[in-house]
Amino acid sequence: MQYDAVVIGAGPNGLAAAIALAQRNLSVLVFEANSRIGGGARTEELTLPGFRNDVCSAIHPMAASSPFFRSLPLASYGLEWIRPPFPYAHPFDDGTAAAPRESLDETMAVLREDGQQYVDLMRPFVRQRDAFFDDVLRPPHIPRHPLLLMRFGLRGRRSAASLSSRFRSEAARSLIAGPAIHAAVPLTQAVSSALGLVMIVAAHTVGWPLARGGSQSITDALAAYLRSLGGVFETSRRVESLEDLPDARAYLFDITPRQLLRIAGDHLPSLYKRRLQRFRYGPGVFKIDYALDGPIPWRAEPCTQTATVHLGGTLEEMVDAEARVARGEHPPRPFVIVTQPSLFDVSRAPSGKHTAWVYCHVPNSSIVDMTAAIEQQIERFAPGFRPRVLARNARGPRDLERENANLVGGDIAGGLTDWSQLFMRPIARLDPYSTPNEKIFLCSSSTPPGGAVHGMCGYWAAQSVLRRVFKRA
């Protein structure tokens, strides 16, 4: 049987691409190497029976903000968002913590001397949320809302350290710098504030929600909707070459350039292959999943009312930690991202028990065990954490890559997001999803608008396929 399109990889972007094509009455087959679909958006028992941890992504401001996901009837297929009282929190050594409210006015009151400046920075984007996300979650283009995007560009081009330093209090500085660290680039680097600003806008519009039942619920809803459109899946099918695939008019790969070269390199011209070979990957992560005998004993009360906690101390500490990673070092006090979904979703752990998921950045392909350094940071802000650990599952970059080939060297963003690769992924090309082979397309987070669970890379790749292969606008 010939399909209109075959999608290789059933992560959120592969599923989004398949849905966008199936919505246009095209026949779509999705291949997945693992026995379960979802890529980084999966939930499994990684520690003890009954404790369900997210395999990679856990908190989803970008999924809830995604123009494409918001257009789909995912709630009808079981997806339910949980929005904790605070989007995220950042504790300090004195037992206090900074935590934004979804309301800008309430956040202004909390930040006091920095409140007005914070609101002035964020309000234009929050007020025009739909227009904002419509423009920033696209490939490079002529802006549909030029004044708004120009305002964002003037702020996003700055380093996160510079933008944060405009504020006088550590509380305000941490609320700007913490989200920016998710981009995994040094805070002193130009445009390092861009992703952070996008995530802060999400915090004040949709919050930083988690999916009830875990990230697997996002995957399950997308897959169920795709099946309703006639989409077909084949799991446990690792693709080694194009010859492994059935005949189709288009092939969309939810993989990074390294895997594309291995699978389809013989079908691509030499110049394009050389340019793909120069694609750079970012830092890796060291991740620990926990089964806990009780909630994390935070000293700062706001940390108990959010699913996401940033452990980084002062702005200077955060700048130093990420700079060390960029230099190939392992910071003694890493910036640690903690998620604690079972505080808000009782389905994630047995009664009275809890789960937690933490990671820090490390050099790509690191083999250093960061368990002690991570747990020292947790104990710093939550004394008595270690006695609550029933089991832990620690995995370094190479472990993560073995489980998911897209996580090259432990890079969870599909490639470095510095000033050049933030805008030109995987290479500088008018249509970044297409390749010189008219049947081969890339739809992963290695294409614009980059990493996170939002499906927009897959959606825009599908639009490229519709234009180029099927001649549909």
Side-chain angles (χ1 to χ4, degrees):
M1 174 181 177
Q2 182 189 54
Y3 288 88
D4 291 317
V6 170
V7 177
I8 298 86
N13 282 311
L15 295 174
I19 288 171
L21 295 173
Q23 285 178 321
R24 302 295 292 271
N25 296 315
L26 299 176
S27 58
V28 181
L29 170 63
V30 180
F31 279 85
E32 170 55 46
N34 294 313
S35 60
R36 297 182 65 194
I37 64 172
R42 289 182 292 126
T43 307
E44 298 181 358
E45 293 183 343
L46 299 175
T47 53
L48 296 174
F51 292 83
R52 292 175 53 77
N53 288 76
D54 292 310
V55 171
C56 187
S57 62
I59 308 299
H60 298 285
M62 302 315 300
S65 302
S66 166
F68 184 54
F69 284 175
R70 287 165 66 90
S71 75
L72 303 179
L74 299 182
S76 299
Y77 292 90
L79 179 60
E80 179 185 350
W81 294 120
I82 300 173
R83 294 164 68 165
F86 299 149
Y88 58 98
H90 187 112
F92 300 104
D93 289 313
D94 63 0
T96 64
R101 280 60 171 172
E102 284 194 29
S103 163
L104 276 178
D105 290 337
E106 291 181 12
T107 304
M108 179 171 66
V110 170
L111 291 178
R112 298 177 183 173
E113 61 181 351
D114 286 315
Q116 188 61 58
Q117 184 176 195
Y118 180 91
V119 169
D120 291 344
L121 173 66
M122 303 308 304
R123 194 184 295 281
F125 313 119
V126 172
R127 278 180 171 170
Q128 301 182 68
R129 175 196 68 179
D130 291 342
F132 177 74
F133 286 113
D134 182 56
D135 255 337
V136 300
L137 294 179
R138 285 174 174 264
H141 65 291
I142 298 174
R144 303 179 72 180
H145 310 91
L147 294 180
L148 184 66
L149 203 62
M150 181 175 68
R151 185 189 292 265
F152 173 68
L154 290 173
R155 288 151 180 78
R157 67 182 174 83
R158 299 181 61 173
S159 73
S162 171
L163 188 63
S164 302
S165 296
R166 295 172 51 186
F167 297 91
R168 287 171 284 183
S169 67
E170 284 296 342
R173 291 178 176 185
S174 71
L175 296 189
I176 300 296
I181 291 180
H182 288 252
V185 295
L187 293 180
T188 54
Q189 184 172 286
V191 308
S192 58
S193 63
L195 176 61
L197 286 174
V198 172
M199 295 183 71
I200 298 169
V201 174
H204 291 296
T205 54
V206 299
W208 281 19
L210 57 148
R212 188 175 300 280
S215 298
Q216 187 70 48
S217 298
I218 303 173
T219 294
D220 291 346
L222 290 168
Y225 179 55
L226 177 57
R227 289 189 179 99
S228 77
L229 299 172
V232 179
F233 291 90
E234 288 195 22
T235 57
S236 301
R237 287 289 303 273
R238 186 170 299 277
V239 176
E240 301 292 347
S241 72
L242 282 185
E243 285 66 38
D244 294 337
L245 299 171
D247 190 25
R249 296 178 66 184
Y251 299 97
L252 295 87
F253 289 87
D254 185 8
I255 58 178
T256 79
R258 182 174 298 181
Q259 289 84 52
L260 183 66
L261 287 168
R262 177 175 56 80
I263 293 171
D266 291 343
H267 300 266
L268 298 168
S270 298
L271 177 60
Y272 181 77
K273 289 194 291 185
R274 286 198 297 272
R275 296 178 71 190
L276 278 190
Q277 287 166 352
R278 294 196 290 268
F279 184 78
R280 293 167 296 135
Y281 292 89
V285 302
F286 188 95
K287 177 177 182 282
I288 311 176
D289 294 288
Y290 288 101
L292 302 174
D293 196 32
I296 298 175
W298 302 109
R299 283 195 296 156
E301 190 272 340
C303 296
T304 69
Q305 297 192 43
T306 179
T308 306
V309 182
H310 291 156
L311 307 182
T314 65
L315 175 62
E316 288 72 21
E317 284 185 76
M318 291 187 277
V319 169
D320 177 70
E322 295 304 298
R324 287 175 182 267
V325 173
R327 294 196 300 265
E329 303 171 9
H330 296 78
R333 280 189 163 185
F335 181 87
V336 176
I337 297 170
V338 180
T339 73
Q340 43 188 9
S342 57
L343 287 182
F344 308 96
D345 181 1
V346 296
S347 73
R348 304 296 297 276
S351 178
K353 310 301 181 185
H354 286 272
T355 62
W357 167 114
V358 307
Y359 78 79
C360 71
H361 293 133
V362 293
N364 192 280
S365 299
S366 165
I367 59 172
V368 173
D369 187 337
M370 294 294 288
T371 301
I374 286 174
E375 293 190 353
Q376 285 170 7
Q377 282 288 71
I378 300 175
E379 284 279 347
R380 174 182 173 188
F381 301 104
F385 165 75
R386 284 194 183 95
R388 298 198 176 181
V389 175
L390 297 173
R392 62 173 63 80
N393 180 12
R395 289 173 294 169
R398 295 187 179 182
D399 302 312
L400 297 173
E401 185 176 355
R402 277 193 294 271
E403 295 169 8
N404 184 342
N406 275 359
L407 307 184
V408 177
D411 177 358
I412 61 175
L416 187 64
T417 53
D418 63 359
W419 68 271
S420 61
Q421 285 195 173
L422 177 64
F423 302 106
M424 294 177 287
R425 299 168 75 83
I427 63 174
R429 187 176 173 86
L430 287 177
D431 182 347
Y433 312 98
S434 68
T435 72
N437 186 314
E438 61 185 13
K439 298 180 71 170
I440 297 175
F441 295 79
L442 197 61
C443 67
S444 70
S445 57
S446 299
T447 63
V453 176
H454 46 58
M456 297 305 296
C457 307
Y459 171 80
W460 290 116
Q463 304 314 301
S464 176
V465 170
L466 287 169
R467 287 193 310 271
R468 291 175 172 270
V469 178
F470 298 99
K471 312 304 178 187
R472 301 187 192 181

